[in-house]
Amino acid sequence: MYSEFIGEDGNEKFWQFIDTVKELTVYKQGESVRSYYNLVIKKAGQFLTDLKVNLLKFALALRSYSPAVHASQQIAGDEPPPEACPAFVSIHGQHSCSTKDVKKLLKAASGRPKPYLYKNDHTYPGINKTDVPVVILYAEIGTKKFASFHKILSERAQEGTLVYVLRHFVADPKPKKMLLSGYGVELAIKSTEYKAVDDTKVKEDEDNSEVQGFFFGTLKKSHPDLEEQLAELRKHLLESTNDMAPLKVWEMQDLSFQAASRIMSVPKFDALKLMQDVSQNFPSKASLSFQHLSETIGVHPGDGELFINGLHIDLDTHNPFSILDILRGEGRVLEGLHNLGIKGEHQGKLLRLPVNAVDDSYALDIRHPTIMWINDIENDPVYRSWPTGVQELLRATFPGVIRQIRRNFFNLVLFLDPVQEESVELVKLAELFYKHKIPLRIGFVFVVNTKDEIDGFSDAGVGFYRLLNYIADEYDLSQALMSIVSLYNKVDVGDTLSVDTLSAYLKKKFPKANAERIIGKESEYDDKRKDGALFYKKSGLGALPLALFNGVPLSQDEMDPEELETIILQRIMDTTTAFQRAVFMGQLTEGSDVVDYLMEQANVVPRMNPLILGTDRKYLDFTAAPVVDDWEDTTMFSFLDSRDKTAVMAKRMKYFKNSDEDGMSTLTIWIVGDFERASGRKLLLNALKHLQKASPGVRVGVINNPSGKPSEDNTVLYRAIWASFLTQKNKATADFVQKLLKEESSQLLQQGTKIKELLMQNTFRACVDFIHSQQLFCRDILKLGPGERAVISNGRILGPFEEQEDFTVEDFHLLEKITLSGSAEKVKATVKQMGMKPKQASDLVMKVDALLTAAPKGEVRRDVHFSKDSHSVLHLSPRENEVFYDVVAIVDPLTREAQKMSSLLIVLSQVVNVKLQVFMNCRAKLSEMPLKSFYRFVLESDVTFLANDTVSPGPAARFMELPESPLLTLNMITPESWMVQAVSSPHDLDNIHLQEVNRIVMAEYELEHLLLEGHCFDLSTGQPPRGLQFTLGMSRDPLMYDTIVMANLGYFQLKANPGAWILRLRVGRSEDIYQVLTHDGTDSPADTGDVRVVLNSFHSKIIKVRVQKKADKINEDLLSETSESKGIWDSIASITGGGSKKDDGEKKKEDVLNIFSVASGHLYERFLRIMMLSVLRHTKTPVKFWFLKNYLSPSFKETISHMAESYGFQYELVQYKWPRWLHQQTEKQRIIWGYKILFLDVLFPLAVDKIIFVDADQIVRADLKELRDLDLEGAPYGYTPFCDSRREMEGYRFWKTGYWASHLGHRKYHISALYVVDLKKFRKIAAGDRLRGQYQALSQDPNSLSNLDQDLPNNMIHQVAIKSLPQEWLWCETWCDDVSKVTAKTIDLCNNPKTKEPKLMAAARIVPEWAEYDKELKDLLRLVEEKGEPQHLLHAGHL
């Protein structure tokens, strides 16, 4: 884990750390855990700054890198590892445990396929060759075995005979699970309107916890006679500490301000602790008397925001793991600025500079004389009737209509070679646009042969060009366009233009003209023929034919003439909105020239050079402050690390300057090359030419990279340059060097003239040594081979260049424009205020610019500051002279944000040095309790140890001193991608009532899966392929988890664990009809069919997959009625429990009743078992129960298999994580209701045709097979309407009045306790997607959907039809009269709003058979326990 953290700072550091700790585990035996930990931290400290060491400790406490190590372990398991092997190598698929076999395995390796390497594999930095074998070492760093393998492999990798990759592997990992942190736990107060608590007693062990200083366990042992009194005393003490009295409304109004005022009144360092205490234990603190705040604060009250260095941290999407990443990323920049000596407010200023993100769509300047414009919208008479005002853009039109305005808003330039086959179609397309009066200005650049001796009779292109000029001269350009089209019409499809076609056309159309005079040798129409080719070459564009729309080049695949027409029209629509914005904002006015306005945008460049404009950019790191700055001593120089070498180079560099009036340079260019070669001299000459033409503020430095070992002979020219730096003034130096660089002078130098003698004098002897150092710098840091050239612009490395590649004066001009418009100009303005000497200031601009532009681009930083902040802002100052983070929190102390943020801020201030401002943003006039829950955020800043120096068991959420009276329910609030479940707790976590518990309530949850989420679209339709199935597995076990794609956003989710996974289309219909085309966010190249995904962190992983139907399956439908293929029965993401495991063929014929139910809390689980028993008693058909796993208690999961055995049914636990984009519910009961209805289409495998939902508190008295086989008459589901027969309840029938009465019309309101779903129909009409869509719209209003699972289908009754089931299918005493009970097929224990009778009493009273079922199940569970089940699994008579 240490190595992974260090590895994020670069591969070089990773391997240096590995070399330091390669045999460290020897110390593990004798030392305590704590001292071993400190030893490794100390070793890591050699490579990390103090700030990074603190972040490392935080990362270790968070176990942030455990998934990365686990992922390696899983990849090793897939190899699989040889038996009893502490470490092993895998060489192209063959394994060995011994270093002796490496040689042998390498011999034949090249014949076997290379292994797959992942993006984050650690590769030893040797000589990068592609044709050598790859050796993967699986080992635990620090062990003896690792050290012996590492020695051999690293030596070979340095020689370049193999590629050495290291993956973590622990041969026998300890089974002990570790405790994680980074999540929240909430104890929410439940409503006890209807008593729904199980009365079964839970066995508890004795407890010796301390209450207000008394140890009751010890007291009971020493005074057994006083047991009762002691129990009373304990109870009294507990209650006196945490009584909860309800507040009056008037007491509640100002609670938020009172809390804030309390927090502000304590000493600063305790304030955060107090805020944590108040927000996280609010229900029991509410009645404390706060002092009133006299003045109020005018902000949007109640909102909570957090900013780190101005970056907005949204606590709903961020978790501690992502915040750690932000701290690291920020740390690099902050430390860099700190090392460069930037302190105080300048740090914030530089950080907040808007660094222009790298633009993908650069545009070429189209104001060029070579472009032959066929039309001009602004001046041609054809367009005279159109309006000219730019305001016309803002006039409303029908969607899709292109506005006709007399301005050159849209410009299309075509670069064509007239002889190319593709040109024909493009010219015809241009004519089409012109004829139809599309407001598009069209220009051509014809690129033809430039040789003088060629004429139109020997080259059709030249002839074409001359003919075009002739027609344009005689008539006009638009006539010329028409003629071109008619000329091209003479060319057959698939042919190219020939000289014969050309002369024939000329004779026919212009019989009087003299062909020789027009296209022959002596042509008068050859004017500017070379210009087109020259402009094309200088522009740096790709292969012909090419099109520019408003200067932006279209990609090659957009140039297909059939596509092009729609693409141009689409671009016109897209650009219109940008123009509208510009007119609205007043940037584009009636007086503006539109083309000039377009060409003055930041993304317009004088030429397109992908080397300069590419998005993949490398930067030097200038942030070191080396102890030595000596480059004459090469040996010394070679020991410096890469950052120190770079810093020495920057310090010792000499420059040709073209300074600003203030003596500063904004742009620093370093030229690297071998100046004994013509290519190197030319590069420097171009740079100096640019320097003379450039605007002030540029300087050029020179680095020598000789082709051979530097000697006096092969560095003559460079030393001459250096000599002139040392002896001449700036202007003279530049002139002298320019003369030197001319070819004839450099030859004179070689032949040996006076200068050579001058250079041979002793003064310049030493010069060769520092050239050695420069060569080292080129090799190690710039990664250049001997003699290779490169250009470095403010720390950005361009190169190495190919031998023939030219970097012209125009390229330097472009490079300057790009660098300055990035952030250099803005950095200079800030540095100027710091008042330094010009040389230092110029260096600083270069270094800061490199640092800021190399940092990954995040969102915009906001400048948050408060006025008049003495009363409401808590300030904590940072420690002096250290790197600090600027943290601003805006929070109402009584909100969920405060519950989270208080813990986070406390830990943050322990991990890093913070300048913290907390602004109390309170709400006034509260009408209800602002917080109805106790909350703990589990987070630690460092690994904690116990007194005996062993590691503490780990972080946990501890709730102390809770009030005893309320009924609490426990919720886990985890990062988005976690799937957790309770694994052990004897208590009912849904109904925690502390009055009835004598000791600590313990619950253990387990992180069961990390989610892999994604979005999938069909490329040809752009729609999500509903019902498409994906499977996830490893190469040895391809089907481990699977899922179905939803129509909402094409969303899918798969359960997985850390490791490398392969995602495939499911064998069967999915794979028959579809194929995967491309994917993003994965770990394999986008166009490979194998989609590999690596899960190696606690972050969310979201991928995008694009699929397409196979050519012969275009008309097939995934969800059509044809039979589902075999193998689909394998369930979705679920554990199959109980039941027979017959093969698919037999299973298909089986007639199975599928029953789905959800339950949470011991009482409902007890009801659930009784419901199951009643179903089984009344049917002969085999039954399979499906339960939602997310909320079942550990005890239910443990006992269900025994029940299945005894009664002979099958069961399956399904789970689905609530998707992050679907409006989240916060109350547990509502979440469970949501699961009942929102995910029916994705919870079950496609082979399940019908499913019946039965509420847990129902008792079945009929064969549910009847319900399954009932004809739903085309509806996707059937529900029973509410009874009307019990008259005295009329006042409670809410659906008879108001909204429901008008919405339903003559339809009935249905009850959701029992429903049958035809899943085939349900999926076919996309019912699930419609329900989720409607839910998303309604749930934003907290008052709508009060009974979510029931209101939603009733609300959607007009869009998704409901079949009303016969009334006898559901009887419940609250709404139905006693007469109808006799015929009832199921009895539901509805809540009675009139009597509010507890469930248990009602069950025994209403349903005579209930008690028998209950007793039978209690006996069964007692038997199970007596059979000698391990004690913790089952607690007595759980039912």
Side-chain angles (χ1 to χ4, degrees):
M1 281 160 71
Y2 296 86
S3 62
E4 286 295 321
F5 181 89
I6 292 172
E8 292 205 356
D9 273 352
N11 209 19
E12 182 184 21
K13 286 240 180 94
F14 174 83
W15 290 100
Q16 288 170 349
F17 175 68
I18 296 285
D19 277 335
T20 319
V21 298
K22 58 186 175 220
E23 289 196 22
L24 211 60
T25 42
V26 189
Y27 297 107
K28 218 174 184 173
Q29 276 61 47
E31 304 277 340
S32 70
V33 183
R34 178 181 236 153
S35 50
Y36 182 59
Y37 169 79
N38 290 336
L39 174 69
V40 184
I41 289 279
K42 199 167 155 195
K43 293 282 187 196
Q46 299 173 14
F47 306 99
L48 300 173
T49 54
D50 293 348
L51 166 71
K52 292 243 172 74
V53 168
N54 283 338
L55 287 175
L56 168 62
K57 290 175 175 173
F58 182 41
L60 291 170
L62 266 177
R63 305 280 193 264
S64 179
Y65 291 93
S66 293
V69 178
H70 253 276
S72 284
Q73 192 82 1
Q74 183 251 29
I75 294 170
D78 205 26
E79 278 276 359
E83 295 287 307
C85 226
F88 69 96
V89 283
S90 164
I91 302 180
H92 292 212
Q94 296 200 357
H95 308 129
S96 164
C97 298
S98 155
T99 42
K100 299 191 187 72
D101 300 344
V102 172
K103 225 180 197 154
K104 188 176 80 199
L105 289 178
L106 279 172
K107 275 199 183 117
S110 52
R112 300 190 295 273
K114 279 194 178 172
Y116 190 90
L117 296 184
Y118 298 99
K119 283 181 196 156
N120 30 24
D121 268 330
H122 304 291
T123 310
Y124 195 81
I127 302 161
N128 285 344
K129 290 189 181 166
T130 46
D131 49 354
V132 294
V134 178
V135 178
I136 302 177
L137 170 61
Y138 291 94
E140 185 180 353
I141 300 168
T143 53
K144 278 219 168 78
K145 191 77 179 167
F146 164 73
S148 55
F149 265 125
H150 175 70
K151 184 172 181 298
I152 293 174
L153 295 175
S154 55
E155 282 166 7
R156 295 226 166 171
Q158 267 161 336
E159 295 159 13
T161 54
L162 54 81
V163 174
Y164 161 30
V165 176
L166 171 65
R167 290 180 184 159
H168 309 284
F169 166 67
V170 181
D172 40 356
K174 299 191 177 77
K176 189 179 165 224
K177 298 204 167 149
M178 54 185 192
L179 294 179
L180 294 174
S181 55
Y183 59 91
V185 182
E186 166 190 69
L187 284 177
I189 298 176
K190 278 181 87 160
S191 146
T192 48
E193 188 179 3
Y194 297 98
K195 190 167 186 297
V197 184
D198 193 8
D199 56 2
T200 315
K201 285 281 170 281
V202 173
K203 261 197 193 165
E204 299 189 276
D205 304 336
E206 270 308 310
D207 168 39
N208 193 19
S209 65
E210 168 262 1
V211 180
Q212 293 197 12
F214 294 96
F215 284 92
F216 281 94
T218 321
L219 285 170
K220 277 184 196 169
K221 283 194 186 105
S222 46
H223 303 286
D225 48 331
L226 298 175
E227 191 162 334
E228 274 184 27
Q229 289 93 320
L230 283 170
E232 278 299 306
L233 171 65
R234 176 175 184 273
K235 201 163 175 192
H236 170 71
L237 287 174
L238 273 169
E239 284 178 357
S240 63
T241 58
N242 47 24
D243 197 25
M244 241 178 91
L247 287 180
K248 311 276 188 303
V249 173
W250 49 268
E251 288 179 304
M252 216 179 278
Q253 288 191 354
D254 297 336
L255 277 177
S256 185
F257 290 115
Q258 295 173 8
S261 119
R262 261 297 279 284
I263 292 164
M264 298 306 296
S265 64
V266 299
K268 276 186 185 174
F269 298 101
D270 303 337
L272 281 178
K273 288 265 192 303
L274 180 66
M275 177 163 120
Q276 183 180 25
D277 186 36
V278 168
S279 65
Q280 297 190 351
N281 298 316
F282 178 70
S284 55
K285 302 278 180 210
S287 55
L288 300 171
S289 60
F290 290 97
Q291 59 217 48
H292 282 266
L293 255 188
S294 50
E295 61 179 296
T296 57
I297 304 135
V299 193
H300 263 306
D303 293 347
E305 306 285 351
L306 177 63
F307 298 93
I308 296 181
N309 291 341
L311 291 176
H312 177 234
I313 309 290
D314 180 354
L315 286 179
D316 288 335
T317 50
H318 278 287
N319 54 44
F321 305 100
S322 55
I323 290 172
L324 171 65
D325 283 359
I326 290 171
L327 292 178
R328 272 201 83 151
E330 291 294 294
R332 286 191 192 116
V333 180
L334 294 175
E335 283 188 310
L337 291 173
H338 186 79
N339 291 352
L340 295 174
I342 289 164
K343 305 273 192 307
E345 84 248 28
H346 294 301
Q347 168 186 311
K349 274 188 192 152
L350 284 171
L351 267 183
R352 287 202 180 84
L353 285 183
V355 177
N356 283 353
V358 176
D359 204 328
D360 295 342
S361 56
Y362 283 102
L364 188 69
D365 198 326
I366 53 172
R367 296 172 295 186
H368 198 280
T370 315
I371 301 174
M372 202 183 281
W373 294 103
I374 295 297
N375 61 342
D376 178 351
I377 311 272
E378 292 177 9
N379 301 316
D380 289 359
V382 192
Y383 309 108
R384 198 177 294 138
S385 59
W386 295 3
T388 55
V390 291
Q391 289 292 332
E392 287 289 319
L393 280 172
L394 300 178
R395 231 191 24 196
T397 62
F398 287 110
V401 172
I402 294 176
R403 295 174 175 77
Q404 297 188 316
I405 304 173
R406 261 190 98 171
R407 291 293 185 113
N408 291 320
F409 284 124
F410 312 111
N411 306 272
L412 177 68
V413 180
L414 293 166
F415 283 76
L416 302 176
D417 172 355
V419 191
Q420 261 184 335
E421 195 184 319
E422 293 90 346
S423 305
V424 183
E425 289 300 317
L426 292 169
V427 170
K428 287 181 183 169
L429 182 66
E431 190 226 9
L432 189 76
F433 282 132
Y434 179 67
K435 272 206 332 225
H436 284 286
K437 285 201 188 171
I438 302 289
L440 181 66
R441 173 169 168 242
I442 301 167
F444 287 102
V445 176
F446 290 110
V447 181
V448 296
N449 196 320
T450 51
K451 293 200 179 106
D452 287 334
E453 62 276 12
I454 290 203
D455 70 359
F457 288 119
S458 53
D459 182 313
V462 176
F464 173 90
Y465 184 79
R466 291 174 177 179
L467 175 63
L468 187 65
N469 275 345
Y470 165 72
I471 303 171
D473 267 10
E474 293 288 315
Y475 305 96
D476 65 358
L477 274 171
S478 56
Q479 180 56 47
L481 173 69
M482 303 303 172
S483 308
I484 300 173
V485 176
S486 59
L487 167 62
Y488 273 144
N489 282 336
K490 305 268 183 295
V491 181
D492 295 334
V493 178
D495 278 356
T496 53
L497 184 68
S498 65
V499 178
D500 301 344
T501 319
L502 200 71
S503 355
Y505 180 78
L506 182 63
K507 279 205 185 77
K508 184 161 174 271
K509 286 279 182 194
F510 307 98
K512 293 206 181 73
N514 174 348
E516 184 60 46
R517 232 188 70 226
I518 296 173
I519 56 177
K521 281 229 180 332
E522 302 304 313
S523 168
E524 300 161 17
Y525 299 102
D526 200 33
D527 187 28
K528 297 189 179 151
R529 159 159 63 107
K530 296 177 183 171
D531 290 12
L534 195 67
F535 175 40
Y536 169 61
K537 183 165 177 269
K538 276 200 167 171
S539 70
L541 292 161
L544 295 170
L546 263 167
L548 308 177
F549 181 84
N550 281 357
V552 179
L554 301 182
S555 65
Q556 279 302 317
D557 41 349
E558 290 175 318
M559 287 302 300
D560 174 7
E562 285 159 17
E563 300 283 314
L564 192 61
E565 182 181 353
T566 41
I567 284 167
I568 298 285
L569 294 175
Q570 188 55 51
R571 288 280 170 104
I572 289 180
M573 304 308 273
D574 295 347
T575 330
T576 303
T577 49
F579 278 128
Q580 285 169 328
R581 193 175 306 117
V583 172
F584 187 74
M585 303 299 282
Q587 297 156 347
L588 185 59
T589 58
E590 299 301 343
S592 329
D593 179 318
V594 177
V595 177
D596 285 348
Y597 165 78
L598 271 173
M599 293 301 121
E600 278 150 18
Q601 299 301 316
N603 66 331
V604 177
V605 291
R607 85 181 236 124
M608 291 279 174
N609 183 335
L611 182 73
I612 300 174
L613 303 178
T615 46
D616 184 21
R617 305 188 173 181
K618 297 196 294 294
Y619 294 87
L620 287 173
D621 181 348
F622 288 114
T623 56
V627 191
V628 292
D629 56 357
D630 180 11
W631 64 3
E632 276 82 15
D633 181 348
T634 311
T635 341
M636 186 69 199
F637 185 82
S638 65
F639 285 126
L640 298 176
D641 78 359
S642 56
R643 285 172 54 213
D644 285 344
K645 284 189 182 124
T646 310
V648 171
M649 294 298 290
K651 188 156 186 188
R652 300 296 300 263
M653 185 65 67
K654 299 250 181 286
Y655 294 102
F656 301 105
K657 294 190 208 60
N658 166 7
S659 307
D660 227 335
E661 62 277 5
D662 51 18
M664 279 172 70
S665 303
T666 324
L667 176 65
T668 304
I669 294 177
W670 290 358
I671 302 295
V672 186
D674 178 356
F675 304 104
E676 301 300 310
R677 289 190 189 179
S679 59
R681 289 195 292 274
K682 189 165 178 206
L683 182 65
L684 180 55
L685 197 57
N686 284 342
L688 293 176
K689 280 182 187 160
H690 169 69
L691 184 68
Q692 285 172 331
K693 294 199 312 200
S695 47
V698 181
R699 55 182 193 163
V700 175
V702 192
I703 296 177
N704 195 13
N705 182 22
S707 308
K709 188 169 189 293
S711 66
E712 293 188 356
D713 290 340
N714 67 5
T715 57
V716 178
L717 191 79
Y718 183 69
R719 288 181 305 139
I721 295 171
W722 202 254
S724 81
F725 270 139
L726 296 176
T727 54
Q728 288 176 299
K729 290 270 188 302
N730 182 31
K731 181 86 182 73
T733 310
D735 295 344
F736 169 67
V737 171
Q738 279 201 351
K739 286 199 194 91
L740 266 188
L741 291 170
K742 301 260 169 38
E743 285 305 312
E744 54 275 18
S745 349
S746 56
Q747 276 153 12
L748 286 177
L749 267 182
Q750 295 299 337
Q751 289 152 15
T753 45
K754 285 182 183 165
I755 283 196
K756 183 151 187 191
E757 288 159 28
L758 165 79
L759 292 176
M760 295 312 276
Q761 286 171 4
N762 291 338
T763 23
F764 291 110
R765 276 291 157 82
C767 258
V768 182
D769 285 337
F770 83 91
I771 297 176
H772 269 289
S773 298
Q774 294 197 357
Q775 195 177 24
L776 270 178
F777 174 75
C778 295
R779 188 191 76 192
D780 297 348
I781 288 106
L782 303 180
K783 306 280 187 252
L784 299 176
E788 288 191 315
R789 297 167 303 150
V791 172
I792 296 167
S793 150
N794 276 10
R796 180 182 161 202
I797 307 169
L798 298 125
F801 302 138
E802 304 293 327
E803 194 45 52
Q804 284 72 40
E805 196 174 351
D806 235 1
F807 201 83
T808 59
V809 180
E810 283 88 6
D811 284 323
F812 279 112
H813 180 56
L814 171 62
L815 184 59
E816 177 183 7
K817 181 179 158 91
I818 292 297
T819 312
L820 294 184
S821 68
S823 60
E825 289 280 5
K826 301 168 195 136
V827 171
K828 180 193 166 190
T830 311
V831 170
K832 201 169 169 179
Q833 299 167 354
M834 295 165 67
M836 304 164 78
K837 292 199 182 102
K839 163 95 168 81
Q840 277 88 344
S842 303
D843 280 356
L844 191 60
V845 172
M846 162 178 85
K847 293 172 175 179
V848 172
D849 188 27
L851 176 68
L852 294 181
T853 34
K857 302 293 163 283
E859 45 186 298
V860 180
R861 295 175 189 271
R862 309 202 201 156
D863 191 6
V864 189
H865 49 244
F866 309 109
S867 56
K868 209 178 69 159
D869 49 15
S870 52
H871 295 301
S872 49
V873 181
L874 167 69
H875 288 277
L876 290 177
S877 315
R879 294 188 293 280
E880 292 291 313
N881 297 327
E882 282 185 37
V883 179
F884 71 87
Y885 289 78
D886 186 354
V887 180
V888 177
I890 300 173
V891 68
D892 172 345
L894 302 185
T895 51
R896 165 59 59 83
E897 280 90 355
Q899 292 182 328
K900 266 192 196 168
M901 215 185 280
S902 52
S903 300
L904 193 64
L905 292 174
I906 288 172
V907 171
L908 211 57
S909 60
Q910 290 164 349
V911 174
V912 292
N913 186 18
V914 290
K915 171 188 172 196
L916 177 64
Q917 302 173 68
V918 184
F919 177 87
M920 297 294 163
N921 182 20
C922 306
R923 285 166 300 175
K925 301 255 174 3
L926 296 171
S927 57
E928 56 172 356
M929 288 281 272
L931 284 173
K932 301 191 181 80
S933 66
F934 298 89
Y935 185 90
R936 296 290 178 270
F937 195 66
V938 182
L939 192 61
E940 294 182 351
S941 60
D942 192 355
V943 181
T944 46
F945 295 92
L946 301 174
N948 61 1
D949 283 354
T950 56
V951 181
S952 76
R958 291 181 181 79
F959 291 86
M960 311 295 268
E961 302 196 346
L962 290 175
E964 295 216 336
S965 47
L967 187 63
L968 303 169
T969 176
L970 189 144
N971 281 327
M972 295 289 285
I973 297 157
T974 59
E976 281 294 355
S977 59
W978 289 18
M979 277 189 118
V980 301
Q981 60 151 343
V983 285
S984 77
S985 172
H987 299 278
D988 181 351
L989 300 178
D990 205 31
N991 299 289
I992 300 170
H993 205 188
L994 293 177
Q995 273 170 349
E996 295 163 15
V997 181
N998 295 325
R999 52 168 300 232
I1000 301 173
V1001 176
M1002 282 283 294
E1004 206 169 293
Y1005 280 72
E1006 182 174 79
L1007 173 58
E1008 198 186 5
H1009 294 290
L1010 289 177
L1011 273 196
L1012 166 64
E1013 297 171 278
H1015 300 279
C1016 173
F1017 290 92
D1018 180 337
L1019 256 189
S1020 35
T1021 63
Q1023 296 300 314
R1026 258 189 20 240
L1028 186 72
Q1029 297 189 79
F1030 283 113
T1031 61
L1032 192 68
M1034 288 151 47
S1035 52
R1036 300 191 177 273
D1037 182 1
L1039 203 164
M1040 294 168 73
Y1041 306 104
D1042 57 1
T1043 190
I1044 300 175
V1045 176
M1046 275 185 190
N1048 305 103
L1049 309 175
Y1051 176 80
F1052 62 88
Q1053 61 170 248
L1054 284 150
K1055 298 187 302 192
N1057 281 316
W1061 301 90
I1062 302 174
L1063 181 81
R1064 296 193 176 94
L1065 289 173
R1066 185 181 206 123
V1067 180
R1069 281 186 76 76
S1070 293
E1071 197 189 43
D1072 294 346
I1073 298 178
Y1074 279 95
Q1075 62 200 21
V1076 173
L1077 282 185
T1078 64
H1079 39 92
D1080 302 336
T1082 55
D1083 294 81
S1084 48
D1087 43 5
T1088 49
D1090 248 7
V1091 187
R1092 285 174 188 264
V1093 186
V1094 178
L1095 289 174
N1096 57 358
S1097 77
F1098 286 126
H1099 293 314
S1100 307
K1101 180 96 169 174
I1102 302 174
I1103 62 176
K1104 288 197 178 71
V1105 183
R1106 293 183 177 75
V1107 296
Q1108 199 168 27
K1109 285 188 177 174
K1110 295 180 177 168
D1112 51 342
K1113 305 276 186 185
I1114 291 293
N1115 301 320
E1116 294 254 348
D1117 178 19
L1118 266 179
L1119 295 171
S1120 65
E1121 294 301 319
T1122 51
S1123 69
E1124 294 295 350
S1125 61
K1126 268 174 41 166
I1128 238 165
W1129 189 269
D1130 304 325
S1131 149
I1132 290 205
S1134 51
I1135 344 132
T1136 311
S1140 57
K1141 289 262 177 26
K1142 299 186 180 167
D1143 70 45
D1144 293 338
E1146 287 183 52
K1147 213 168 207 176
K1148 200 72 205 121
K1149 299 184 201 86
E1150 265 182 44
D1151 177 21
V1152 179
L1153 259 179
N1154 289 296
I1155 312 283
F1156 171 49
S1157 195
V1158 292
S1160 169
H1162 288 187
L1163 177 70
Y1164 275 90
E1165 287 174 358
R1166 179 173 168 187
F1167 281 133
L1168 178 63
R1169 293 194 185 92
I1170 290 169
M1171 179 274 284
M1172 291 160 64
L1173 193 49
S1174 72
V1175 169
L1176 295 165
R1177 281 281 188 274
H1178 293 96
T1179 185
K1180 300 256 185 310
T1181 319
V1183 179
K1184 179 162 188 179
F1185 288 104
W1186 301 80
F1187 303 116
L1188 187 70
K1189 185 179 180 183
N1190 307 29
Y1191 293 100
L1192 291 176
S1193 70
S1195 46
F1196 184 88
K1197 287 181 282 204
E1198 284 152 10
T1199 53
I1200 182 78
S1201 54
H1202 301 289
M1203 196 172 156
E1205 225 171 285
S1206 306
Y1207 292 108
F1209 58 82
Q1210 301 175 38
Y1211 70 92
E1212 205 154 304
L1213 306 180
V1214 288
Q1215 64 193 130
Y1216 201 81
K1217 173 102 180 183
W1218 195 284
R1220 66 182 72 220
W1221 47 265
L1222 194 64
H1223 182 76
Q1224 304 283 345
Q1225 291 293 337
T1226 48
E1227 220 179 299
K1228 196 170 181 179
Q1229 185 55 56
R1230 292 182 63 78
I1231 299 173
I1232 293 172
W1233 283 344
Y1235 275 112
K1236 270 174 72 170
I1237 183 74
L1238 289 173
F1239 308 110
L1240 292 171
D1241 49 347
V1242 288
L1243 273 176
F1244 312 105
L1246 287 183
V1248 178
D1249 294 346
K1250 277 208 173 169
I1251 196 128
I1252 298 174
F1253 178 87
V1254 186
D1255 245 355
D1257 58 354
Q1258 244 171 309
I1259 291 92
V1260 177
R1261 289 183 160 184
D1263 189 345
L1264 286 182
K1265 185 174 188 299
E1266 287 177 47
L1267 183 56
R1268 186 198 65 187
D1269 299 339
L1270 190 84
D1271 179 10
L1272 294 180
E1273 296 162 12
Y1277 42 36
Y1279 285 76
T1280 319
F1282 266 94
C1283 273
D1284 278 348
S1285 49
R1286 191 170 287 280
R1287 282 278 151 261
E1288 64 267 29
M1289 294 301 287
E1290 203 51 53
Y1292 295 98
R1293 291 195 169 89
F1294 59 87
W1295 56 91
K1296 291 282 184 79
T1297 56
Y1299 168 78
W1300 282 112
S1302 61
H1303 178 75
L1304 292 168
H1306 59 87
R1307 293 184 176 81
K1308 294 202 163 71
Y1309 183 83
H1310 297 80
I1311 185 168
S1312 64
L1314 173 82
Y1315 49 92
V1316 55
V1317 186
D1318 177 349
L1319 286 172
K1320 275 223 146 86
K1321 176 78 178 173
F1322 189 88
R1323 292 192 183 108
K1324 203 160 177 51
I1325 65 167
D1329 305 295
R1330 293 181 193 184
L1331 287 165
R1332 285 186 288 270
Q1334 182 75 340
Y1335 162 79
Q1336 188 73 344
L1338 293 175
S1339 58
Q1340 308 297 330
D1341 170 7
N1343 302 317
S1344 68
L1345 297 180
S1346 52
N1347 295 324
L1348 198 162
D1349 56 323
Q1350 194 164 276
D1351 288 352
L1352 188 61
N1354 280 300
N1355 176 279
M1356 289 284 287
I1357 198 162
H1358 303 289
Q1359 292 85 2
V1360 182
I1362 296 179
K1363 158 79 174 146
S1364 295
L1365 301 177
Q1367 196 69 64
E1368 69 262 18
W1369 273 111
L1370 195 136
W1371 184 91
C1372 87
E1373 189 186 61
T1374 312
W1375 311 108
C1376 309
D1377 60 10
D1378 297 337
V1379 183
S1380 50
K1381 183 173 175 182
V1382 191
T1383 55
K1385 296 190 173 180
T1386 69
I1387 292 179
D1388 186 50
L1389 303 171
C1390 307
N1391 287 333
N1392 188 325
K1394 200 171 179 183
T1395 62
K1396 302 206 161 65
E1397 180 181 19
K1399 282 261 159 139
L1400 275 174
M1401 285 169 62
R1405 185 178 60 72
I1406 298 169
V1407 189
E1409 64 266 40
W1410 191 86
E1412 298 164 31
Y1413 288 149
D1414 192 31
K1415 183 177 179 307
E1416 181 176 334
L1417 284 162
K1418 276 192 172 156
D1419 294 344
L1420 170 75
L1421 291 175
R1422 195 170 299 112
L1423 265 174
V1424 169
E1425 195 175 357
E1426 283 164 7
K1427 268 187 193 162
E1429 279 290 314
Q1431 179 55 44
H1432 69 278
L1433 280 185
L1434 248 152
H1435 296 272
H1438 227 21
L1439 278 156

